[in-house]
Amino acid sequence: MPANCWVLGDDHDVVVVDAPGEPETIVAAVGDRRVTAVICTQGGRAHTAAAVDVAWALCAPVLLHPADHALWEETHDESLYWRLEHGQRIAVAGEELHVVHTPSATAGSVSLHFPRLKALFTGDALGDSSEPSGPHPTPYRGLALLSDLPSDTRVYPGRGDSFLFGEVFLPTDRWVRRSA
């Protein structure tokens, strides 16, 4: 299953989250809106193959966590990107996107959280195929930093359809982690 590409924002201002391929399709989806950044949730080719072309066409920077630099270079050689760090805030369309370093699929994997909108873009932080199959008895390592999110947070994974955060964790998972 190919990686998802998300265009987040309003009629004037957007960010592109992951650019797996078909740069023309991504650029067409953006249209005439201003692009704040092309954000890569990880450095692997499946999430970045078209990032440089999309960023160039839209006059936007590529953002990537530096822990994935070696993966980036495998696909993009010495193409430049801007550093994406845990705790960073990115303004888009009057909202604030929070960067959460969730090393899981790669050392530089990040998730992107819109707190006010109760939306979370996880890339492959939940695994390669993120469709929930019911509660998981063991939380994913990459989501430890996300364990306090409300269960009604809508998760937009790197692959597959969106779902509610509460569909991934049992209610006791949060209690057990805090109590340990």
Side-chain angles (χ1 to χ4, degrees), residues 88-158:
Q88 185 174 343
R89 304 289 197 257
I90 300 167
V92 59
E95 296 295 332
E96 191 172 74
L97 177 67
H98 298 199
V99 177
V100 183
H101 184 211
T102 49
S104 51
T106 67
S109 291
V110 297
S111 293
L112 307 168
H113 182 223
F114 279 101
R116 204 167 73 79
L117 301 176
K118 293 186 178 180
L120 178 70
F121 295 81
T122 60
D124 289 342
L126 292 175
D128 201 25
S129 180
S130 300
E131 295 183 23
S133 57
H136 296 282
T138 306
Y140 293 100
R141 184 179 130 230
L143 289 182
L145 293 171
L146 303 174
S147 64
D148 289 330
L149 292 178
S151 61
D152 63 345
T153 299
R154 174 71 48 191
V155 176
Y156 298 89

Side-chain angles (χ1 to χ4, degrees), residues 33-93:
R33 296 178 284 182
R34 184 179 77 85
V35 179
T36 302
V38 176
I39 304 171
C40 302
T41 60
Q42 63 164 282
R45 180 170 182 71
H47 293 263
T48 69
V52 172
D53 292 337
V54 169
W56 180 261
L58 299 172
C59 299
V62 174
L63 278 65
L64 175 77
H65 193 281
D68 277 356
H69 180 76
L71 285 171
W72 174 264
E73 282 188 325
E74 289 176 13
T75 302
H76 300 289
D77 296 320
E78 294 183 22
S79 293
L80 299 178
Y81 60 86
W82 291 7
R83 293 174 64 101
L84 189 61
E85 301 287 345
H86 177 77
Q88 185 174 343
R89 304 289 197 257
I90 300 167
V92 59

